[in-house]
Amino acid sequence: MRQYKHDPMTETKEQNHCELFLCLQAKPSRLHCSHCDETHSLPQNGAIKLYKELRCPLDDFELVLWTSGARGKSYPLCPYCFSHPPFRDMKKGMGCNECTHPSCQHSLNSLGIGQCVECDGGVLVLDSTSGPKWRMACNKCNVVVHFFEHAHKVQVAQESCDACDASLVAVDFNKTRTPLPDGETQHTGCVFCDPIFQDVVELKHATMRHSMHRGGGARRGGRGRGRGRRGNPKKPKDKMAALAAYFV
């Protein structure tokens, strides 16, 4: 069983195959065992911390959370999968927001919402750690979409939009800040097409410490799929002009 432990010098440790511990080193970011030299690369130019003591369902490594800062983007990743891609359509340097695991709660298939509105091949993925200032971020470029601030819960629904094929989003609003009529607090709809959602969605560009913020070999020109099982999601039909009009 692999596990992290706190260490005042290295933040966290992960037990490796020689039964010692992999130390989290900051520059460059990596997990490293000084005894057997086992090393796992991590994303660079950001902060890394434990992610709720959750574990990867494939290898039992404890997940970590990479973030570029409060005005940037963040995503969880498995240190082992990051260096050893588990699926054929993955490459080194991919986090959970690009993982094609069919059922993991952290994967692209579970949290992907729709194709990025600005880049080719990117998918907007719900950042489940961002509440109450909820956001979804492209897993390729630096586009970040802020939405549903102060909502109690935001989840990606199983259903998709009939108009644009993006995944619907289920929101449980704060009752004192709900945009819904008659004080209703729960609504499921499309981020791109639902008129109720348009006033609470704002597109920005993440503040990155460096444009090449990812470690390993980043995938380029990927398939850009939303949640895997539906294949290649369409960009919202005839919505680009509307997005440009209200995304500021």
Side-chain angles (χ1 to χ4, degrees), residues 71-219:
R71 298 180 61 187
K73 55 193 289 186
S74 60
Y75 58 84
L77 64 112
C78 166
Y80 189 83
C81 293
F82 192 79
S83 298
H84 305 86
F87 303 108
R88 290 182 179 180
D89 56 354
M90 293 180 64
K91 294 183 179 180
K92 287 186 178 181
M94 290 184 174
C96 296
N97 62 345
E98 294 185 85
C99 178
T100 53
H101 191 291
S103 60
C104 178
Q105 63 178 320
H106 315 292
S107 72
L108 169 64
N109 287 344
S110 296
L111 297 178
I113 293 176
Q115 194 170 21
C116 181
V117 297
E118 290 201 5
C119 76
D120 293 327
V123 178
L124 294 168
V125 181
L126 175 65
D127 182 351
S128 58
T129 71
S130 59
K133 296 185 177 182
W134 297 96
R135 63 192 176 194
M136 58 180 177
C138 179
N139 60 6
K140 297 292 186 186
C141 70
N142 65 344
V143 164
V144 176
V145 177
H146 295 260
F147 51 15
F148 315 130
E149 186 171 359
H150 303 297
H152 293 305
K153 183 183 295 185
V154 177
Q155 293 180 307
V156 180
Q158 294 292 322
E159 300 80 15
S160 60
C161 176
D162 293 335
C164 71
D165 203 38
S167 296
L168 300 185
V169 176
V171 185
D172 184 0
F173 290 100
N174 185 312
K175 64 181 180 180
T176 64
R177 298 172 182 263
T178 178
L180 303 178
D182 302 322
E184 294 292 325
T185 58
Q186 296 183 346
H187 183 73
T188 299
C190 176
V191 171
F192 304 104
C193 304
D194 193 322
I196 292 178
F197 284 167
Q198 289 189 2
D199 290 337
V200 289
V201 176
E202 180 182 14
L203 183 147
K204 293 184 177 180
H205 291 83
T207 301
M208 312 303 288
R209 299 187 184 186
H210 191 281
S211 59
M212 295 300 293
H213 66 278
R214 297 169 52 184
R219 179 175 65 176

Side-chain angles (χ1 to χ4, degrees), residues 6-21:
H6 263 305
D7 181 277
M9 299 299 294
T10 59
E11 294 292 334
T12 59
K13 290 183 176 181
E14 166 81 23
Q15 192 172 10
N16 73 342
H17 299 296
C18 69
E19 301 303 324
L20 295 177
F21 287 92

Side-chain angles (χ1 to χ4, degrees), residues 238-246:
D238 302 320
K239 293 294 177 179
M240 296 306 293
L243 286 170
Y246 75 82

